[in-house]
Amino acid sequence: YGTLDIDVEDLYTFIKEQRKLGLKVTIVHVMTAILGRALAFDVPEINCFIRRGDIVKRKYIDVMVPVAMNKEGVTSVIIEDSHAKDLKTISEELRRKTISVRSGEETRASKNKYILNAIPWPFRRLAFRLFKWVTIDLGIEIESLGLNDSSFGSIVLSDIGSHGLTTGMTALLPAGKVPAVIVLGKIEKKVVVRNGNMTPRMIMPITGTFDHRIVDGAQIGKLARSIKRKIKNPQRLLLVPHEELSSCIFERR
């Protein structure tokens, strides 16, 4: 686990300015873009998972975002190729997919959840382990169920700050085989020291849960520095990063 407080005062201003210009963007949209680009361009070595003791590299960069349903429960949406999309595209795609799942339209994640819930509880764990063994350990896709070794994307981004919470030590989702789950806490005004002076700033706490078989302190540090740099320059997220994509090792759909 790791925690980090980030000064998002300028980012907060950027988001408000973009909303005035008609771009309906939130901190989740921004962080989806940032995580996608951080994985692709700064720490590509962690975009992988463990299969039967071996490290398997992923071909794509996808960010999974949990979505609270209108009545109860949680499902998720996946933003594919998030490193290759501008902020407007990510914002519109995430909003469109969220509306779809909340209106009852089945997604890959919700379909899998309904199937597992339909299995009688004494056999549910056995079925879950069977699906995991087939898709993750053997690398076989169950096309009819939409299950494969990338069903949970490359990394998970969860926002608990919208629920008034500041820190969350979340689980790693063993069946998801993601190297990290990043949790955004509540953005609050706090007094910090800048240039030797005490001043109030908007601070966002971030908590990360990492698979230590893949990720160690060096990679976590690189990821943290990448996130900080990109938060300081949010205008770059408004454009597709063509220069970085020209040398990117990951495929696009």
Side-chain angles (χ1 to χ4, degrees):
Y1 299 99
T3 60
L4 180 68
D5 286 345
I6 297 184
D7 186 331
V8 293
E9 183 80 28
D10 296 336
L11 176 61
Y12 203 71
T13 301
F14 168 80
I15 291 175
K16 290 192 294 185
E17 290 174 348
Q18 293 305 311
R19 286 179 175 176
K20 290 180 180 178
L21 294 174
L23 178 57
K24 298 178 180 179
V25 62
T26 69
I27 191 67
V28 173
H29 302 141
V30 171
M31 286 302 299
T32 299
I34 287 177
L35 282 181
R37 298 188 189 196
L39 280 185
F41 311 136
D42 297 315
V43 279
E45 64 270 25
I46 74 172
N47 188 32
C48 56
F49 64 95
I50 303 295
R51 172 183 287 158
R52 300 194 298 274
D54 296 323
I55 293 179
V56 180
K57 296 180 180 179
R58 296 191 187 278
K59 295 181 180 180
Y60 308 105
I61 297 286
D62 303 328
V63 177
M64 190 183 92
V65 181
V67 174
M69 301 298 284
N70 289 327
K71 295 182 179 180
E72 59 181 12
V74 176
T75 185
S76 62
V77 298
I78 291 181
I79 305 301
E80 298 179 341
D81 302 329
S82 54
H83 66 300
K85 295 175 178 176
D86 58 49
L87 187 56
K88 180 180 180 180
T89 300
I90 288 176
S91 172
E92 292 174 348
E93 183 176 342
L94 187 53
R95 183 171 291 103
R96 183 178 67 252
K97 289 183 175 181
T98 298
I99 292 173
S100 294
V101 297
R102 285 177 175 169
S103 64
E105 183 177 324
E106 279 194 352
T107 64
R108 182 170 60 190
S110 61
K111 182 179 180 181
N112 297 342
K113 183 177 180 180
Y114 294 149
I115 291 172
L116 284 174
N117 287 343
I119 299 173
W121 73 264
F123 309 106
R124 194 172 298 165
R125 185 175 182 181
L126 179 62
F128 184 80
R129 294 178 65 180
L130 176 62
F131 290 150
K132 175 179 175 294
W133 178 68
V134 171
T135 59
I136 303 297
D137 297 330
L138 297 183
I140 299 173
E141 180 177 5
I142 307 178
E143 189 172 351
S144 60
L145 302 181
L147 291 172
N148 55 54
D149 56 20
S150 297
S151 295
F152 291 82
S154 304
I155 195 169
V156 177
L157 173 66
S158 180
D159 174 29
I160 64 172
S162 58
H163 302 293
L165 304 174
T166 55
T167 304
M169 301 290 185
T170 186
L172 251 186
L173 305 174
K177 291 295 182 180
V178 292
V181 178
I182 304 300
V183 179
L184 308 180
K186 183 181 179 181
I187 299 175
E188 295 180 298
K189 204 81 165 179
K190 295 182 179 180
V191 176
V192 300
V193 178
R194 288 176 63 90
N195 301 319
N197 299 312
M198 298 181 66
T199 180
R201 303 285 292 182
M202 300 298 291
I203 303 296
M204 178 175 68
I206 296 180
T207 306
T209 303
F210 302 92
D211 186 340
H212 208 350
R213 297 171 300 173
I214 299 173
V215 185
D216 59 22
Q219 280 82 40
I220 296 173
K222 287 169 66 176
L223 178 63
R225 290 190 294 273
S226 176
I227 291 173
K228 285 183 176 180
R229 285 197 306 271
K230 291 172 173 54
I231 281 179
K232 288 181 180 179
N233 296 283
Q235 292 82 5
R236 293 177 61 88
L237 303 176
L238 296 172
L239 304 173
V240 174
H242 293 292
E243 184 176 347
E244 291 92 339
L245 289 173
S246 64
S247 58
C248 183
I249 64 174
F250 298 106
E251 299 178 18
R252 283 177 280 168
R253 296 171 181 80

